[in-house]
Amino acid sequence: MSSWFGGGGTSNAQQEKEVMAMLQRKQMEDFIYMFNNLTSKCFDTCVNEFNKRTLQPQEKTCAEHCMNKFFKVSERVGTRYAEYQKMQNNM
């Protein structure tokens, strides 16, 4: 990768493209981590019986509630963070 401080023979457009590619990879890694974490937490919390091939109705309901709660909290945190950022930019 080229130097962040100029030189290296690459243009600003090339550097910007490389930075965007790194950001996209980081976002994908963060998404995969979040998904795996969510799956693990909801599974550990909700699935209790391993004698059958399918989820029991109460396990399925618990998993759905767990995922919905996680997404609602994530949305709320994102909204609050955006509000905070906006407030910081106005100062």
Side-chain angles (χ1 to χ4, degrees):
M1 180 179 269
S2 63
S3 170
W4 290 99
F5 303 107
T10 59
S11 68
N12 285 339
Q14 181 62 30
Q15 288 176 343
E16 187 175 323
K17 187 177 179 182
E18 290 172 0
V19 169
M20 291 304 294
M22 285 184 351
L23 288 173
Q24 288 175 343
R25 279 193 301 273
K26 178 65 174 148
Q27 286 177 330
M28 181 57 75
E29 289 171 3
D30 289 347
F31 173 79
I32 291 170
Y33 174 79
M34 181 185 71
F35 179 80
N36 288 339
N37 192 29
L38 169 65
T39 302
S40 178
K41 285 184 185 293
C42 291
F43 182 86
D44 291 344
T45 300
C46 298
V47 179
N48 302 312
E49 190 172 321
F50 298 96
N51 297 333
K52 299 189 169 94
R53 299 182 126 217
T54 60
L55 291 175
Q56 297 303 302
Q58 67 274 13
E59 292 172 330
K60 185 176 179 181
T61 300
C62 177
E64 289 171 351
H65 288 163
C66 179
M67 290 184 292
N68 286 334
K69 185 174 185 179
F70 179 84
F71 289 127
K72 285 180 183 179
V73 168
S74 295
E75 180 181 9
R76 180 80 171 163
V77 168
T79 299
R80 289 292 184 200
Y81 181 72
E83 290 171 357
Y84 174 77
Q85 288 293 96
K86 186 177 180 180
M87 185 176 70
Q88 291 298 312
N89 289 337
N90 290 335
M91 295 179 124

